[in-house]
Amino acid sequence: MCPEGRVAGAVVREDGRLLAIRRAENGTWELLGGVLELTEAPEAGVVREVFEETGIHVEEDELTGVYKKTTRGIAALVFRCKPSGGSERTSDESTAVDWLTPEEVSERMAEVYAVRLLDALDGNGPHVRSHDGRHLT
């Protein structure tokens, strides 16, 4: 199996709201991200993925966590980002784009996705966590 690099963006607005999408394939709320292109730097990949999925331009701020899915051996790097322009729009991958409060993140997202956004807010990263696809392990 060829390893893949994955990145995600925890996009935080000045008012503390976090950017999220409702995925088209399963209706779940998640943060933005995806697979890095072969020669792409992680920081560039997160900027590209956020824009592709939401229409929001961002500036990458810092690495806030590394999250390994133990059932597949895939690790994702999560970067806190600041919005720098653009406007919200859906994509082929999403049916909704919204700015959520931390409380809404906890209510709407599965634990493995919510923790990535909430970790980006606490300033104690980078966090290193493992999960089975649903719950932290």
Side-chain angles (χ1 to χ4, degrees), residues 60-105:
E60 171 271 327
D61 187 14
E62 69 177 319
L63 179 70
T64 58
V66 179
Y67 303 84
K68 181 180 181 190
K69 186 173 186 176
T70 57
T71 56
R72 295 193 51 211
I74 297 171
L77 305 175
V78 178
F79 293 89
R80 186 173 54 235
C81 302
K82 295 181 273 198
S84 61
S87 57
E88 296 89 356
R89 59 150 173 77
T90 57
S91 69
D92 292 343
E93 299 178 46
S94 63
T95 58
V97 177
D98 201 359
W99 292 94
L100 307 178
T101 65
E103 294 77 22
E104 290 169 329
V105 166

Side-chain angles (χ1 to χ4, degrees), residues 9-108:
V11 183
V12 184
R13 230 172 36 184
E14 285 185 14
D15 64 3
R17 287 185 175 259
L18 300 142
L19 189 61
I21 62 170
R22 187 171 54 221
R23 292 240 169 241
E25 75 267 9
N26 59 18
T28 60
W29 283 92
E30 298 180 13
L31 68 166
L32 314 309
V35 178
L36 286 171
E37 294 175 4
L38 189 59
T39 60
E40 188 173 42
E43 298 87 348
V46 74
V47 169
R48 175 185 53 78
E49 284 287 343
V50 171
F51 179 74
E52 286 177 1
E53 294 181 8
T54 67
I56 300 295
H57 294 284
V58 296
E59 296 174 13
E60 171 271 327
D61 187 14
E62 69 177 319
L63 179 70
T64 58
V66 179
Y67 303 84
K68 181 180 181 190
K69 186 173 186 176
T70 57
T71 56
R72 295 193 51 211
I74 297 171
L77 305 175
V78 178
F79 293 89
R80 186 173 54 235
C81 302
K82 295 181 273 198
S84 61
S87 57
E88 296 89 356
R89 59 150 173 77
T90 57
S91 69
D92 292 343
E93 299 178 46
S94 63
T95 58
V97 177
D98 201 359
W99 292 94
L100 307 178
T101 65
E103 294 77 22
E104 290 169 329
V105 166
S106 295
E107 292 167 6
R108 294 187 193 182

